């Protein structure tokens, strides 16, 4: 058989070799017919029952989720469950059956088309991909109405081991169901960098290529397939030379991983003896499993807003306290930095629990988010402050405030922390009165004024994700301006440098918890700028550690100062290339 090569977008790195498993779903054949008025009630009931069954099915998937499942995927399933209770999907089609006299499948299709049209109008590429969520939920209900089986459930008998799954698209429920089946790669015809397949494959650490047009048509069931997640390439039925090439790459990759995992127990010390702290960023307590796997030394950023998202009621003090306590207990003495709520912009609440102040701003990233929202709704803030303070009695906890732009905000936040302490004292509840309070430096104003901010704070943590967005005035989620989103732009680097210097001068620790901290290409640059605390996605820790061990910080600090005088990110990148060459 001749080899065939296809291309798509590589979204999760790695090389995999396996047998193609074509996930052919029966085409949904939605029939459209009119219902006589006497049968409308029964048709509405048939629809309601289908929604109930869909809920039961998803609740079952949710219940069986293994502890190792990435939180992103779990929260997708929660979102789908919420959608099944949402008026738009659960009630509006019932009305359509009555008003138009159409059958249940048709009513659902009409409603789906109306919802998808709204999503397609959206400018935000992330929200546009959320139309997939509507389709996944709608298709589940349609399959129930049409009495069609979902063939993924049927295949879970070990047949998928060593398979490369080829599908048009995969829903979160599909991926959760398949994740422990020994699949070696995912390939989909649709989907982009924000699709569920992408997120799941990355979290599971298996290669994935999306956007491979007509993959289901060209590939054969069971044929040998090479998936190259670096370059987005697929090679079907490779010849001897092709196979040998990829096997060799796979071996090199395994050696590299084995080397990295040996580093687990070794400290992150540079060649010239500097101890560097490598901490993990977490979003939910479940993320600690991955953090332990890479032996990160603590949590440098706990994004608490995830506890508030995808739910109808906001968590009260007790629930927050209990959740934070689970994290502290599991850390067994390792430090934990809890960030106060960073709601708003890209992190929004569900419609049901929408906060009274979360107005639909024209520029949400520049609007009432994070500390700004908390200072407007002091009850919301004080509740969280008390929960964080209480947990400081259970282990080494620090508190970090996001998005501070002015000294007034800092002073107000510190006053509220004092008030929360007084309230706890009055209630006779324990807390650590010396709990360190720091701030994220992620607004240019804060970086420029970091020498002043340092007087009020116990530590800084540089949030490059936002710092880059606000310095370059380039939305971090907008692909159209991603060319401007440059962490190595000299303007960004000067702000980072100012912050590190101001922190050191004032004798307070400076950490970095934006994505830049976990990007191993930038490790040497940051070490040279004097950064000695990094917090990152846990999976990045081994790679960054290996760079630290192979670097001489003193030499780097002499070399990197010139980046501050460079005129473009391109110049800095070229310099980094040299800095990283062995
Ligand atoms: C940042 O802005 O760099 C950061 C770590 O915070 P978030 O990504 O949660 O906004
Ligand atoms: Mg931020």
């Amino acid at each position: 058989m001749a080899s065939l090569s296809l291309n798509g977008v590589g979204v999760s790195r790695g090389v995999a070799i396996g047998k193609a498993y074509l996930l052919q779903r029966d085409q949904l054949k939605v029939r459209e017919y009119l219902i006589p008025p006497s049968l409308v009630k029964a048709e509405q009931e048939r629809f309601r029952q289908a929604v109930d069954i869909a809920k039961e099915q998803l609740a079952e998937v949710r219940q069986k989720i293994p502890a190792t499942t990435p939180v992103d995927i779990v929260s997708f399933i929660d979102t789908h469950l919420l959608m099944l209770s949402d008026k738009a999907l659960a009630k509006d089609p019932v009305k359509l059956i009555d008003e138009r006299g159409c059958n249940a499948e048709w009513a659902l299709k009409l409603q789906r088309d109306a919802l998808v049209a709204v999503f397609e109008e959206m400018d935000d590429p992330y929200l546009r991909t959320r139309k997939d969520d509507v389709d996944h939920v709608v298709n589940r209900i349609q399959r129930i109405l049409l009495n069609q089986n979902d063939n993924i459930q049927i295949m879970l008998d070990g047949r998928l081991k060593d398979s490369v799954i080829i599908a048009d698209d995969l829903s979160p429920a599909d991926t959760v169901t398949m994740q422990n089946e020994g699949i070696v790669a995912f390939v989909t015809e649709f989907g982009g960098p924000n699709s569920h397949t992408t997120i799941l494959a990355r979290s599971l650490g298996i290669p994935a290529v999306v956007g491979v047009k007509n993959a289901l048509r060209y590939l054969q069931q069971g044929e040998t397939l090479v998936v190259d997640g670096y370059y987005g390439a697929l090679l079907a039925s490779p010849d001897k030379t092709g196979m040998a090439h990829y096997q060799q790459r796979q071996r090199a990759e395994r050696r590299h991983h084995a080397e990295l995992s040996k580093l687990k127990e070794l400290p992150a010390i540079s060649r010239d003896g500097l101890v560097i702290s490598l901490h993990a960023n977490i979003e939910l307590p479940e993320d600690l499993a991955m953090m332990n796997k890479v032996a990160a030394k603590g949590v440098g950023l706990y994004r608490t807003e995830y506890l508030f998202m995808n739910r109808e009621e906001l968590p009260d003090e007790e629930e927050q306290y209990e959740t934070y306590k689970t994290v502290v207990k599991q850390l067994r003495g390792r430090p934990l930095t809890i960030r106060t709520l960073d709601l708003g912009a890209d992190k929004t609440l569900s419609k049901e629990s929408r906060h009274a102040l979360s107005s639909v701003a024209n520029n949400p990233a520049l609007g009432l988010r994070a500390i700004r929202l908390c200072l407007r709704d002091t009850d919301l803030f004080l509740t969280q402050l008390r929960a964080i303070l209480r947990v400081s009695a259970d282990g080494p906890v620090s508190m970090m405030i996001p998005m501070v732009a002015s000294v007034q905000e800092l002073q107000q936040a510190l006053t509220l922390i004092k008030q929360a302490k007084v309230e706890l004292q009055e209630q006779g509840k324990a807390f650590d009165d010396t709990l360190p309070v720091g701030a994220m430096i992620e607004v240019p104003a804060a970086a420029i004024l970091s020498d002043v901010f340092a007087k009020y704070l116990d530590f800084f943590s540089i949030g490059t994700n936002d710092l880059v967005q606000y310095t370059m005035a380039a939305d971090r989620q907008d692909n159209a301006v991603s060319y401007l989103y440059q962490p190595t732009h000299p303007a960004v680097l000067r702000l980072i440098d100012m912050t590190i210097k101001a922190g050191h001068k004032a004798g307070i620790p400076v950490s970095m918890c934006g994505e830049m901290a976990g990007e191993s290409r930038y490790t040497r640059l940051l070490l040279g700028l004097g950064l000695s605390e990094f917090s990152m996605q846990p999976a990045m820790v081994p790679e960054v550690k290996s760079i630290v061990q192979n670097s001489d910080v003193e030499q780097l600090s002499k070399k990197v100062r010139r980046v501050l005088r460079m005129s473009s990110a391109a110049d800095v990148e070229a310099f980094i290339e040299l800095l990283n060459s062995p």
Side-chain angles (χ1 to χ4, degrees), residues 301 303 339 342 347 440 442 463-466 476 513-514:
L301 166 65
R303 292 182 162 104
R339 179 170 75 180
D342 184 9
K347 303 174 192 109
M440 301 271 301
E442 52 185 346
T464 48
N465 305 343
D466 279 313
R476 63 195 256 188
C513 62

Side-chain angles (χ1 to χ4, degrees), residues 340 381-390 399 413 416-417 420:
T340 61
F381 195 36
L382 281 165
T383 307
Q384 184 177 41
L385 294 179
R386 286 191 302 270
I388 298 176
L389 280 165
R390 282 172 62 193
M399 187 190 307
L416 287 163
I417 295 172

Side-chain angles (χ1 to χ4, degrees), residues 33-51:
Y33 50 88
L34 292 171
I35 300 283
S38 60
L39 293 180
V40 161
K41 286 243 153 9
E43 191 65 4
Q44 288 177 320
E45 191 47 36
R46 189 166 78 87
F47 179 79
R48 281 196 204 98
Q49 275 178 11
V51 172

Side-chain angles (χ1 to χ4, degrees), residues 27-32 103-107 109 142 146:
Q27 214 47 33
L28 284 173
K29 294 190 195 79
V30 175
R31 285 180 51 212
E32 300 175 4
N103 64 319
E105 290 90 337
W106 190 3
K109 182 172 174 289
Q142 289 289 22
L146 296 164

Side-chain angles (χ1 to χ4, degrees), residues 290-305:
M290 186 60 190
M291 173 192 157
N292 287 333
K293 222 163 119 185
V294 299
K297 292 291 174 234
V299 171
L301 166 65
Y302 176 11
R303 292 182 162 104
T304 54
E305 49 280 0

Side-chain angles (χ1 to χ4, degrees), residues 279 281 300-301 303 339 400 440-442 461-468 476 485 487 496 511-519 522 526 531 533-537 540 544:
H279 287 180
N281 293 351
L301 166 65
R303 292 182 162 104
R339 179 170 75 180
M400 176 155 82
M440 301 271 301
I441 302 296
E442 52 185 346
S461 187
I462 306 173
T464 48
N465 305 343
D466 279 313
L467 188 62
V468 175
R476 63 195 256 188
Y485 189 91
I496 293 175
S511 160
M512 178 182 283
C513 62
E515 292 301 302
M516 193 179 186
E519 182 66 68
Y522 301 141
L526 296 170
L531 192 76
E533 293 187 20
F534 297 65
S535 191
M536 63 198 79
Q537 286 184 35
M540 307 298 175
V544 171

